[in-house]
Amino acid sequence: MEAASLPAALELVAGGGAGLSPEKRAALGASLLLLQRDYRFERVWFWGCIRGVRGAYYIAEGLGPDRAAPRSRLYSLDCVEWSLLPPATEEMVAQAEQLKGRFQGDPAFEYEYAEINAEDAERLFEDGKEPVIKEEARLVATIEQIDRAVGVIPRGAFVKTPLGSVHENRNFEGLSWTEAKKLSSYFHFTEPVNLKNKTLLEKALLDPSTDFLDSLEHDIPQGSWTVQLEKGGAVVVLRSLLWLGLVFYHVPMTKQYGYIYFGTGEKNLDLPFML
């Protein structure tokens, strides 16, 4: 969610238990502005917090003019000092998926080879590398997984230009009350998968400038999202049951929307059995 509107946004998602202490809010309010200036980001989003056994990681994302371009990710242990994370690779994501259990809260912590898939460990041995994964790499991969799976934007909030770049839609004034209650009005803010499988007839009914992403209504398993009205019906809140702790909010008929994650960084693998 936008760093500039963080205090108001946190109030809107507080019903799900997501929140920060007054001290942390004050520290973020100052440090995120400095972060944007020092790294020359066009925008800074406060992504959320992954809680570990001995500490917590506070995550921020820096964006450039093209909103679909890879984002710069940074973490902090105290909401004051920030460290830049390396870009996520497919190998890092695959290795992180093999790890179970809580984060430790120490970026230098190493997961031993016994906790890594045997095939991955053997390949690392062949490459002359130690078969260990640092927690910092797991952190990068987990953020990437969550963004891909449950990063959400309302339909029409972004537009795709003929050249392929994605920008904020200046004409977006929020979803209507009717549309805001539908899961089909929200998109994954990542490279589309299901869109490529649509027929030519289905694609002909879509607006290529706004319908260039996958809708949440086709997520598997069905029922992995809850849609609720909160704050006296003034706010639409979506919660992911696959990544518990991910909350998206939108105030219909306004430009206020965003998502934030407060959790342990563990995927809810039991979800198919709970539905």
Side-chain angles (χ1 to χ4, degrees), residues 164-239:
S165 59
V166 176
H167 304 279
E168 291 179 17
N169 184 0
R170 296 182 180 179
N171 297 320
F172 178 70
E173 295 295 337
L175 298 172
S176 67
W177 284 100
T178 303
E179 292 297 317
K181 299 173 187 177
K182 299 177 182 177
L183 205 55
S184 58
S185 299
Y186 302 96
F187 292 159
H188 288 283
F189 196 32
T190 187
E191 188 70 25
V193 177
N194 297 329
L195 192 65
K196 299 172 183 177
N197 300 326
K198 289 184 179 292
T199 65
L200 290 176
L201 186 59
E202 288 174 321
K203 289 181 179 178
L205 300 174
L206 302 177
D207 183 343
S209 65
T210 55
D211 299 320
F212 58 93
L213 299 169
D214 287 335
S215 169
L216 267 59
E217 66 175 335
H218 301 301
D219 281 13
I220 299 174
Q222 287 285 335
S224 59
W225 290 95
T226 65
V227 182
Q228 298 170 315
L229 293 177
E230 297 189 2
K231 301 292 181 182
V235 185
V236 178
V237 176
L238 277 64
R239 291 189 173 86

Side-chain angles (χ1 to χ4, degrees), residues 20 70-71 147 163 247 269:
L20 294 167
R71 303 165 212 166
D147 267 344
L163 298 176
V247 183
L269 300 175

Side-chain angles (χ1 to χ4, degrees), residues 259-274:
Y259 69 86
I260 195 166
Y261 178 81
F262 279 91
T264 60
E266 296 173 284
K267 191 175 183 180
N268 182 16
L269 300 175
D270 295 328
L271 179 59
F273 306 103
M274 297 167 63

Side-chain angles (χ1 to χ4, degrees), residues 42-181:
E42 188 169 291
R43 290 285 180 87
V44 171
W45 286 356
F46 178 62
W47 184 88
C49 170
I50 293 181
R51 300 188 182 97
V53 176
R54 299 193 295 269
Y57 297 104
Y58 299 91
I59 314 298
E61 292 185 329
L63 292 85
D66 184 358
R67 297 296 191 258
R71 303 165 212 166
S72 298
R73 295 182 173 119
L74 305 97
Y75 76 90
S76 174
L77 301 175
D78 57 6
C79 296
V80 177
E81 299 291 333
W82 294 87
S83 301
L84 189 64
L85 288 165
T89 64
E90 292 301 325
E91 183 181 12
M92 290 164 65
V93 173
Q95 289 177 349
E97 287 179 341
Q98 307 295 329
L99 300 175
K100 309 296 182 210
R102 296 277 303 275
F103 279 80
Q104 297 300 307
D106 176 10
F109 180 82
E110 295 181 341
Y111 295 89
E112 299 297 334
Y113 70 91
E115 302 171 56
I116 303 173
N117 181 284
E119 186 178 325
D120 291 338
E122 186 177 343
R123 187 171 66 253
L124 288 171
F125 269 129
E126 291 174 356
D127 294 341
K129 301 177 183 176
E130 287 293 322
V132 297
I133 298 178
K134 283 195 173 182
E135 182 150 284
E136 185 180 79
R138 184 190 179 190
L139 180 65
V140 173
T142 301
I143 297 170
E144 179 70 16
Q145 282 181 278
I146 294 173
D147 267 344
R148 286 183 190 177
V150 289
V152 184
I153 60 168
R155 181 179 184 272
F158 290 82
V159 292
K160 188 173 186 179
T161 67
L163 298 176
S165 59
V166 176
H167 304 279
E168 291 179 17
N169 184 0
R170 296 182 180 179
N171 297 320
F172 178 70
E173 295 295 337
L175 298 172
S176 67
W177 284 100
T178 303
E179 292 297 317
K181 299 173 187 177

